[in-house]
Amino acid sequence: MKLISSPAKAWEEISMEEDRRKVFMAFVYPMIGLCGLSVFIGSLLTNGWGGPQSFQIAMTNCCAVAVALFGGYFLAAYAINEMGTRMFGLHSNMPLTQQFAGYALVVSFLLQIVTGLLPDFRIIAWLLQFYIVYVVWEGVPILMGVEEKQRLKYTLLSSVLLILCPAVIQIVFNRLTAILN
């Protein structure tokens, strides 16, 4: 919650964590699970509780979100790490980049939980998705060590990757599911 309310203070605390891989078990995986659960429940509420069809739709939607967030997280972290080394001259540090990407996705996770339960808020959530730019903006110099003159470019590119990677994976997953059904 601190990443949402005061990102600069939260990034300071995160930068002091010694174990960079703690983000997986302590934050990313539980959040993906909560997102999947909210989508499952929201899908059952939307499509009704009766019949195997509603459970199949709920499970498919749940899986789409889980695969999109899981794959999008790792894809975005990899792309941000590569971007940092090639475009900004940073040293390759995958655990640090995964920590950064995991915590930066807090906005996406929370919005996915809300829209999973309340799908009518999807347009508002899409607009609020861009709050991730501010969260990333605050974390870039503290955690990633990006110089001030490159901060805006790094922030924008990282934010685009963090927003688009899960979205693209979810679109591809949903299309493949529709084709294979």
Side-chain angles (χ1 to χ4, degrees):
M1 291 313 274
K2 194 177 272 188
L3 272 167
I4 299 295
S5 61
S6 62
K9 289 180 184 178
W11 285 118
E12 287 289 339
E13 290 177 16
I14 291 167
S15 69
M16 292 181 205
E17 288 180 1
E18 292 179 21
D19 184 10
R20 301 278 182 215
R21 297 192 185 271
K22 183 177 122 179
V23 68
F24 297 128
M25 298 303 282
F27 186 72
V28 174
Y29 297 155
M31 291 302 285
I32 290 172
L34 286 173
C35 291
L37 181 64
S38 72
V39 168
F40 181 78
I41 292 169
S43 184
L44 284 177
L45 292 174
T46 302
N47 297 317
W49 297 82
Q53 182 85 15
S54 61
F55 283 102
Q56 179 184 0
I57 292 169
M59 283 303 295
T60 303
N61 292 341
C62 174
C63 289
V65 167
V67 167
L69 290 174
F70 186 80
Y73 161 67
F74 283 106
L75 180 61
Y78 174 78
I80 291 169
N81 189 54
E82 289 298 311
M83 174 192 72
T85 57
R86 293 182 185 184
M87 294 176 62
F88 296 93
L90 300 175
H91 296 289
S92 179
N93 188 345
M94 201 60 194
L96 178 68
T97 309
Q98 288 174 335
Q99 182 185 36
F100 173 71
Y103 285 121
L105 281 170
V106 66
V107 176
S108 298
F109 291 145
L110 291 176
L111 290 174
Q112 187 63 55
I113 290 169
V114 170
T115 58
L117 293 171
L118 306 167
D120 293 338
F121 288 102
R122 216 172 286 286
I123 292 175
I124 294 170
W126 192 82
L127 294 173
L128 291 175
Q129 183 77 23
F130 292 102
Y131 185 70
I132 200 169
V133 175
Y134 177 66
V135 173
V136 170
W137 172 263
E138 291 293 337
V140 164
I142 296 168
L143 198 64
M144 301 306 289
V146 174
E147 297 175 12
E148 189 64 34
K149 64 181 180 180
Q150 297 178 326
R151 184 178 183 185
L152 179 63
K153 186 176 178 182
Y154 191 93
T155 297
L156 292 175
L157 291 173
S158 296
S159 299
V160 165
L161 289 169
L162 289 166
I163 291 169
L164 288 183
C165 286
V168 168
I169 291 175
Q170 187 167 6
I171 290 168
V172 169
F173 185 89
N174 287 335
R175 296 263 167 102
L176 287 174
T177 303
I179 291 170
L180 295 175
N181 274 341

